[in-house]
Amino acid sequence: MNLHFKNVICVLFFFSFLLNVSAQEKKITGVVSDSSGPLPGVNVILKGTTTGTETDFDGKYSLNAKEGDILVFSFVGMKVTEKAVGAGSELNVLMQEDANLLEEIVIVGYGSTSKKDLTGSVATIGVEQLQDKPVANVTQALQGKTSGLQIVSTGGRAGDATQISIRGNGSLSASNSALYIIDGVPQEDMSGISPEDIKSISILKDAASTAIYGSRASNGVVLIQTNRGGYQKDISVSFNTSYGFQNIIKRPSLLNAEQYKQVSDAARINYEQDIASGALAGPKDPTILTPLPDSPYNTDWLKLVLRDNATVKRYQFSVAGGGENTRAYLSASLFDQEGIIKKDNYKIGRIKLNVEQKMNDYVKLGVNSYFSFSEATPFADDNNTYQPYSNALGARPDVSPYDADGNIAVHNFSNPLFAFERQVTDKWQNLGGTLFFDVTPIESLVWHSAFSGNIRSNRYNRYDAPNTRRGLNGDGVPTGYGYYSTENNRDYLIENTVTYTDRFANDKLKLTLLGGHSFQKWEYEDSFVSGENFPSSDLSWLVSAGEINQGRSFYKAMALESYFTRLQLSWDSKYHFMVSTRYDGSSKFTKENRWGSFPAASIGWTISNEKFFNVPAINELKARASFGYTGNQTGISYASGQSLIGSGENYDQAPGLAATTIFNPDLKWEKGQALNLGLDITLFDRIDVNLDYYEKETQDLLSRVNVPQESGFRTMLANVGNISNKGFEANINARIIEKENFKWNFGANFSYNDNEVLKVGSETGQYTTGFASIVKEGSALGSFFILESAGVASEEYTYKDADGVDGQTVAAGDMIYVDQNGDGKITDEDKKVFEGGIAPIYGGFNTSIEYKGFDLGISGQYSIGKKVYALFKEDGLNGGAVGAPSYSENMLTEMLDYWTPTNTNASNPRPHLSSEISAWNTQRSSRYLEDADYLRISDITLGYNFNFLKDSDVKFIKSLRLYAQVRNPFTFTKYSGGDPEVSYVDQTAQSGQDRTDGSKIEAGVDLGGIPNVKSFLIGLNVKF
């Protein structure tokens, strides 16, 4: 009996053990593929739970599950596949395409939506277009990638920034820059992230898409989501590196010493002949007619300041992966660039860490953090006496760069080499992050709460040693000069959103409701101290200065609070509707004008999903329309609408207070309204076309107006103007060939923007600004106000007034200008407005070909209708206007085509020493205004993937790619200057909430700034 009982117990225990084993989890592995091969990035979810993972680069996945569990496989453009876990541990899946399922996810403000439900104008840029680009800032890699996005490089300095605008420029003094949202956090720029860190980029262009960001979104929004790793995903290690060389994109042609003497002699001889004929009186100082002596020197100043084969190096390392409840991404990168100007260097390092943890099925915590540091040795700005490149353009070739003692020679012009004497470092550190949690109390409801902070600090140190040119004081005494400044800029953001998403009516009605609150505060601290009387040129810190002669420090703060909501509805994948509003309050304005409301609405109709629609060639046809309001308060002072009293207004050594700004109690938001009409078409399952027409008007422009002098001020900030932008955009992307061993894709975009200043708020309806620019009602921003040139007089020319009476006479060989008002003479009243400083038509293109292991990518950009005022040519074509002992600056070789009695069809007037004649011939006119349309091949990349490694014994290498790349190899343009893309920007200016932006209204002026660069590099991408 006892033995029988024991046997029964053993049998029961055995079956219990078997049942327990069968119910235990096991590791399921497999490969997910489609007809073309393995699929990376497929979502694999354990049905009924939030547990899941993604397939890796080779389509492989692993997941813990029990026999009988259902695994759900989903991927963009594929039918959702469900597979049951069997007795084995391997489960491979072949996914099928679903041509009718366009569930591509697009990142939008405070969330995401499927592309088929999208009603606004949103462009997505594939991250593959950003990879392997040797750029200091991500914005440089976005150039030409989508319509409506106009990005202009500001020159060839190491670490140079770019100017970016979306659908034109709509402000005079407030910011014209787009808003950057990185992982949900507003940022001033994109310098803190590497291209390899980016998972997705969305460009929000119309008001319906941007209005959810209210007062910060009038210039468009760039949304960036960074990599986060994957749940239950094997650890993946990546290493990317490249090394290359950079050179000036175009070297200007300057006169050599012999040619310089030829022009100088011609200028002197022409003056002497006019004196002899009685046309001109002799100079007060006859010694200026002393002939330029012969010289043994023939100095190539550009060779002395330019660096050949400047290096550019890039290193990036990342680790990504995750377990069942944790995923993480860690990256570190270094970008090291030598400028094409000697001693110009820029270096930036970045570290990024994203960690996400599922606490349970209801709560998820996460941290997105980043740190970056940069160090630069910046040179003087383009509009500066000591800018080495522009000084090299004007330096005389017939003198030595050094004196007899080997020191930098002092001449009557600014020796370009003086720029290299200064010791300067500019260091920035940026530390920030976001702590967030998501709570999902029920399946359809998510509460997202986030706290973000950012600290950006700067240390700028400059030293001019006593034995340098700039180390001399005003009396020429070698005292030395030191300057040290610091900035500490902080901001924090507290944001809470609640999102409810559900389906009704047998899943035909899809509803998404969002509500949220946001509070952000900025704090800025700035200080500097300067000194002189250094005892030694080797002691460069201010502690060694014998006299601290100046110093300052200040603090300022501003805040923005917001409430916002959005409702999205979609019925049967045919009819789509969205309405949103945001209510913003800014500390910059008075209580009466502090709050602004920014509503928007949009609709969409997917015509191709209607039963009556039967066009086999058209897979998708969707019409969109939107209208909304946005605002702008970025770029104006931290308390522009307040009545401020400032300290530091001292008198006779006694401290004092005084009003710092004139009080404008009516100051309020800039407000923009925008209409957008769009059409999305997919043809033959291969060609995607997006068409958009928009009208955008900015009202109540923030700009300064003149006030009576008895107020104690000259100007006051007010809401005074309107600007209109209207345009058309087109994008086309085609998957021309898609085969297993051969793929060919092509994309192109086109943008046309008609910008017009409707009102500026002045009595005259215009005002001049910058060097040759004007803001005028009825004209576009970026217009020029100059005389209209009619060429060189081949013979004596006499102006006549409206009655035919003779007026001003121009000698043969001198410039003729158009007498616009017909009064028989040339004055400022004859100046004319010329548009084109900002191109109205622009776009880009790209194509990629893959054949077996090889890949070839080509991209480019173009600009049509652009003009550049070559201001540097006013000196570069001066005609030898200065005589002994100083003599003129050097000139461009095109000056050699000057008028003589035997060359009457010359492009340039006769050289002349008379200040009267030279001033006439070099007036600010369309003589220096050039067509600057261009087509640029911006990138050619040829790579090879070593695919055979997958089947080799080197199992630890998942992929390896080697590539060669040329950047900016070809530029086709009529512009004779260094670069048609030129745009003068103050490189010392920093972005910020209270920094004004006048660069767009002064666009298209070439001061002789450092041109862009072309580069060649090789690179390596490895995944382990």
Side-chain angles (χ1 to χ4, degrees):
M1 183 69 178
N2 290 336
L3 180 61
H4 179 70
F5 179 78
K6 290 181 179 179
N7 289 336
V8 172
I9 295 298
C10 289
V11 172
L12 291 174
F13 180 82
F14 176 74
F15 278 104
S16 175
F17 175 78
L18 290 178
L19 290 171
N20 185 58
V21 169
S22 67
Q24 285 182 343
E25 289 187 343
K26 55 185 176 181
K27 187 175 184 180
I28 306 300
T29 61
V31 177
V32 181
S33 308
D34 65 0
S35 58
S36 300
L39 278 176
V42 176
N43 290 317
V44 185
I45 302 294
L46 189 62
K47 190 172 183 178
T49 72
T50 59
T51 302
T53 186
E54 293 180 354
T55 58
D56 63 14
F57 183 80
D58 300 316
K60 297 178 180 179
Y61 75 94
S62 65
L63 187 68
N64 292 331
K66 303 187 294 291
E67 186 175 344
D69 283 346
I70 304 297
L71 300 186
V72 181
F73 300 83
S74 60
F75 189 69
V76 175
M78 297 290 176
K79 294 179 179 179
V80 176
T81 303
E82 296 187 0
K83 292 288 185 179
V85 176
S89 59
E90 184 175 0
L91 183 60
N92 298 322
V93 175
L94 179 65
M95 301 192 73
Q96 303 295 324
E97 291 185 3
D98 189 344
N100 296 320
L101 187 62
L102 298 174
E103 286 290 350
E104 179 182 347
I105 300 301
V106 178
I107 304 300
V108 295
Y110 297 103
S112 61
T113 186
S114 63
K115 187 175 181 180
K116 68 178 183 179
D117 294 334
L118 197 64
T119 54
S121 181
V122 179
T124 58
I125 298 177
V127 294
E128 69 279 356
Q129 298 186 58
L130 308 181
Q131 307 302 313
D132 307 327
K133 300 295 188 289
V135 293
N137 193 300
V138 174
T139 54
Q140 295 169 304
L142 296 177
Q143 210 166 15
K145 296 299 185 289
T146 188
S147 64
L149 185 65
Q150 191 170 29
I151 299 176
V152 178
S153 176
T154 59
R157 298 165 183 261
D160 247 358
T162 55
Q163 286 186 325
I164 178 171
S165 60
I166 298 175
R167 291 186 168 179
N169 303 286
S171 188
L172 296 176
S173 60
S175 175
N176 277 296
S177 297
L179 171 66
Y180 304 100
I181 306 290
I182 303 175
D183 289 333
V185 181
Q187 302 280 355
E188 306 292 355
D189 55 44
M190 293 194 288
S191 61
I193 58 173
S194 301
E196 292 83 1
D197 291 336
I198 296 174
K199 182 179 180 180
S200 68
I201 292 185
S202 296
I203 312 296
L204 313 186
K205 298 187 286 187
D206 69 326
S209 304
T210 62
I212 195 68
Y213 292 107
S215 65
R216 309 184 65 180
S218 62
N219 302 306
V221 180
V222 179
L223 290 179
I224 296 178
Q225 188 180 68
T226 61
N227 292 315
R228 298 173 180 274
Y231 290 111
Q232 288 204 341
K233 191 172 183 179
D234 293 338
I235 293 177
S236 174
V237 180
S238 299
F239 177 69
N240 306 292
T241 185
S242 63
Y243 182 89
F245 302 96
Q246 298 183 138
N247 288 286
I248 189 171
I249 202 167
K250 180 182 178 182
R251 181 181 171 127
S253 179
L254 301 173
L255 300 180
N256 59 31
E258 180 181 357
Q259 295 166 332
Y260 176 76
K261 178 172 173 54
Q262 173 190 331
V263 175
S264 297
D265 287 346
R268 174 181 50 81
I269 292 171
N270 284 332
Y271 194 11
E272 290 173 338
Q273 290 176 346
D274 282 348
I275 295 173
S277 67
L280 292 174
K284 293 181 179 180
D285 181 6
T287 60
I288 69 168
L289 295 174
T290 303
L292 179 70
D294 293 328
S295 172
Y297 301 107
N298 187 22
T299 302
D300 185 349
W301 291 98
L302 282 176
K303 186 175 181 179
L304 294 175
V305 302
L306 288 175
R307 177 188 273 149
D308 293 328
N309 297 323
T311 61
V312 55
K313 295 169 281 188
R314 182 178 61 92
Y315 311 93
Q316 196 268 346
F317 173 84
S318 66
V319 181
E324 183 175 351
N325 296 308
T326 306
R327 63 175 178 174
Y329 174 82
L330 171 66
S331 76
S333 65
L334 178 66
F335 179 83
D336 191 353
Q337 181 183 21
E338 291 182 336
I340 56 174
I341 302 296
K342 293 177 180 178
K343 295 190 178 182
D344 180 21
N345 299 284
Y346 178 79
K347 183 185 297 183
I348 183 168
R350 305 177 179 100
I351 299 174
K352 185 159 189 63
L353 175 63
N354 293 343
V355 179
E356 199 171 280
Q357 175 70 38
K358 293 180 181 178
M359 307 303 294
N360 50 46
D361 290 341
Y362 308 101
V363 179
K364 179 173 65 178
L365 298 178
V367 174
N368 301 324
S369 59
Y370 54 88
F371 172 74
S372 67
F373 67 90
S374 65
E375 181 174 348
T377 54
F379 284 102
D381 189 64
D382 291 347
N383 184 30
N384 189 288
T385 305
Y386 289 96
Q387 207 268 53
Y389 178 80
S390 57
N391 280 338
L393 298 181
R396 286 173 50 186
D398 63 330
V399 296
S400 172
Y402 302 99
D403 61 21
D405 297 324
N407 300 316
I408 297 175
V410 177
H411 297 294
N412 61 299
F413 58 87
S414 180
N415 191 321
L417 302 184
F418 284 135
F420 302 134
E421 292 184 317
R422 170 168 283 179
Q423 301 175 36
V424 57
T425 57
D426 190 11
K427 298 180 179 181
W428 284 92
Q429 292 183 344
N430 193 15
L431 174 65
T434 301
L435 173 65
F436 68 90
F437 67 80
D438 292 340
V439 179
T440 309
I442 58 176
E443 184 178 354
S444 302
L445 187 67
V446 178
W447 169 31
H448 176 79
S449 184
F451 176 81
S452 305
N454 182 75
I455 301 174
R456 183 173 170 85
S457 61
N458 170 250
R459 290 178 295 154
Y460 180 88
N461 191 25
R462 188 174 72 218
Y463 177 58
D464 298 312
N467 62 350
T468 66
R469 176 70 169 176
R470 282 186 280 190
L472 306 178
N473 67 10
D475 297 324
V477 178
T479 62
Y481 179 79
Y483 177 94
Y484 184 83
S485 69
T486 63
E487 285 188 42
N488 189 282
N489 305 328
R490 306 175 296 277
D491 67 88
Y492 67 85
L493 170 70
I494 302 173
E495 208 157 52
N496 286 274
T497 61
V498 177
T499 305
Y500 177 78
T501 304
D502 210 342
R503 291 178 179 269
F504 305 92
N506 295 322
D507 287 345
K508 285 191 173 182
L509 177 63
K510 182 179 179 181
L511 177 147
T512 302
L513 180 62
L514 166 76
H517 170 264
S518 173
F519 178 81
Q520 188 166 11
K521 184 176 181 179
W522 297 265
E523 296 179 309
Y524 296 93
E525 291 184 30
D526 179 282
S527 64
F528 83 88
V529 63
S530 63
E532 55 186 2
N533 291 329
F534 286 81
S536 169
S537 295
D538 297 324
L539 302 175
S540 59
W541 287 90
L542 279 170
V543 69
S544 302
E547 178 185 354
I548 300 297
N549 55 17
Q550 199 173 12
R552 182 202 65 192
S553 66
F554 69 82
Y555 165 88
K556 58 186 177 182
M558 61 210 78
L560 184 71
E561 185 172 17
S562 309
Y563 301 88
F564 49 91
T565 185
R566 179 176 61 208
L567 171 66
Q568 292 172 274
L569 297 172
S570 178
W571 175 262
D572 201 21
S573 297
K574 299 177 186 177
Y575 315 111
H576 318 281
F577 172 75
M578 188 280 294
V579 62
S580 70
T581 188
R582 182 169 177 128
Y583 195 53
D584 280 347
S586 172
S587 64
K588 295 182 179 181
F589 303 110
T590 61
K591 292 181 179 180
E592 293 76 16
N593 297 315
R594 180 159 296 168
W595 292 91
S597 178
F598 307 98
S602 61
I603 57 174
W605 179 25
T606 306
I607 306 169
S608 53
N609 286 344
E610 296 286 0
K611 292 182 180 180
F612 64 78
F613 189 86
N614 185 21
V615 183
I618 301 179
N619 308 105
E620 183 197 22
L621 177 62
K622 182 171 70 175
R624 297 176 281 104
S626 69
F627 183 82
Y629 294 89
T630 56
N632 196 356
Q633 51 92 42
T634 303
I636 64 172
S637 178
Y638 64 101
S640 297
Q642 310 293 320
S643 181
L644 298 182
I645 300 296
S647 59
E649 304 296 330
N650 306 333
Y651 177 76
D652 195 22
Q653 304 302 315
L657 302 174
T660 58
T661 60
I662 188 169
F663 177 45
N664 182 0
D666 299 321
L667 197 68
K668 57 184 179 181
W669 306 86
E670 281 189 355
K671 201 163 188 177
Q673 62 180 36
L675 167 73
N676 190 91
L677 303 175
L679 197 65
D680 300 329
I681 309 171
T682 299
L683 304 170
F684 309 109
D685 275 331
R686 290 181 179 273
I687 303 173
D688 297 321
V689 180
N690 308 104
L691 305 173
D692 282 276
Y693 170 79
Y694 63 88
E695 293 183 1
K696 184 172 67 171
E697 182 176 330
T698 308
Q699 303 167 345
D700 296 326
L701 291 175
L702 292 163
S703 185
R704 293 203 163 271
V705 296
N706 294 327
V707 295
Q709 291 185 354
E710 53 266 27
S711 68
F713 297 90
R714 299 176 63 183
T715 62
M716 176 183 70
L717 192 63
N719 300 98
V720 293
N722 293 34
I723 292 179
S724 168
N725 287 279
K726 300 178 182 179
F728 173 77
E729 299 171 352
N731 287 280
I732 181 170
N733 291 284
R735 300 172 292 281
I736 301 174
I737 298 176
E738 286 187 315
K739 294 185 177 181
E740 182 177 357
N741 290 322
F742 184 66
K743 296 180 180 180
W744 180 19
N745 298 323
F746 175 81
N749 62 80
F750 169 89
S751 301
Y752 168 74
N753 183 73
D754 179 18
N755 177 274
E756 182 181 356
V757 179
L758 302 178
K759 181 181 178 183
V760 297
S762 67
E763 293 181 0
T764 60
Q766 66 183 49
Y767 64 88
T768 56
T769 180
F771 301 96
S773 304
I774 188 172
V775 176
K776 179 179 174 62
E777 293 176 1
S779 299
L781 290 178
S783 294
F784 309 99
F785 192 51
I786 50 181
L787 296 175
E788 183 178 4
S789 170
V792 179
S794 57
E795 56 186 15
E796 186 178 87
Y797 178 84
T798 300
Y799 288 94
K800 296 181 181 296
D801 64 16
D803 298 324
V805 177
D806 288 351
Q808 192 172 356
T809 298
V810 175
D814 291 338
M815 291 296 301
I816 301 176
Y817 304 104
V818 176
D819 182 12
Q820 304 289 349
N821 61 3
D823 63 354
K825 56 185 177 181
I826 298 300
T827 65
D828 283 347
E829 300 299 320
D830 296 306
K831 287 186 176 181
K832 179 182 176 181
V833 175
F834 293 84
E835 296 184 351
I838 301 174
I841 299 174
Y842 55 93
F845 60 89
N846 63 84
T847 187
S848 63
I849 298 173
E850 297 179 19
Y851 176 70
K852 295 185 177 180
F854 290 96
D855 61 82
L856 173 66
I858 302 174
S859 62
Q861 67 208 51
Y862 61 87
S863 179
I864 301 174
K866 180 176 175 59
K867 303 281 188 181
V868 168
Y869 186 80
L871 186 73
F872 73 96
K873 283 193 173 183
E874 292 180 3
D875 291 324
L877 300 176
N878 66 68
V882 180
S886 299
Y887 298 104
S888 296
E889 292 186 358
N890 197 15
M891 291 155 274
L892 302 165
T893 53
E894 64 182 273
M895 184 64 223
L896 294 174
D897 183 26
Y898 56 82
W899 184 93
T900 66
T902 58
N903 185 28
T904 58
N905 292 321
S907 58
N908 294 300
R910 56 180 179 152
H912 212 288
L913 272 184
S914 166
S915 58
E916 178 185 347
I917 300 299
S918 61
W920 171 266
N921 286 333
T922 57
Q923 289 190 80
R924 203 148 283 178
S925 71
S926 60
R927 175 191 175 192
Y928 308 109
L929 186 65
E930 300 187 26
D931 291 334
D933 297 349
Y934 72 89
L935 170 65
R936 171 168 289 165
I937 306 300
S938 56
D939 189 302
I940 302 177
T941 304
L942 177 64
Y944 182 74
N945 289 278
F946 293 81
N947 295 324
F948 62 84
L949 291 174
K950 297 178 182 179
D951 302 321
S952 70
D953 294 332
V954 190
K955 299 296 184 182
F956 66 93
I957 297 181
K958 295 181 179 179
S959 67
L960 188 150
R961 176 174 175 264
L962 184 67
Y963 65 91
Q965 182 181 98
V966 286
R967 296 272 296 169
N968 299 330
F970 307 110
T971 301
F972 306 97
T973 183
K974 293 181 180 179
Y975 181 57
S976 63
D979 189 2
E981 201 180 339
V982 67
S983 186
Y984 166 66
V985 175
D986 182 359
Q987 298 296 329
T988 63
Q990 299 294 329
S991 57
Q993 284 297 306
D994 64 338
R995 311 282 179 137
T996 58
D997 178 14
S999 57
K1000 301 297 175 66
I1001 63 178
E1002 300 171 9
V1005 177
D1006 189 350
L1007 300 179
I1010 303 168
N1012 218 319
V1013 298
K1014 56 184 177 182
S1015 58
F1016 172 80
L1017 63 141
I1018 56 173
L1020 179 69
N1021 303 328
V1022 186
K1023 287 188 176 181
F1024 302 96

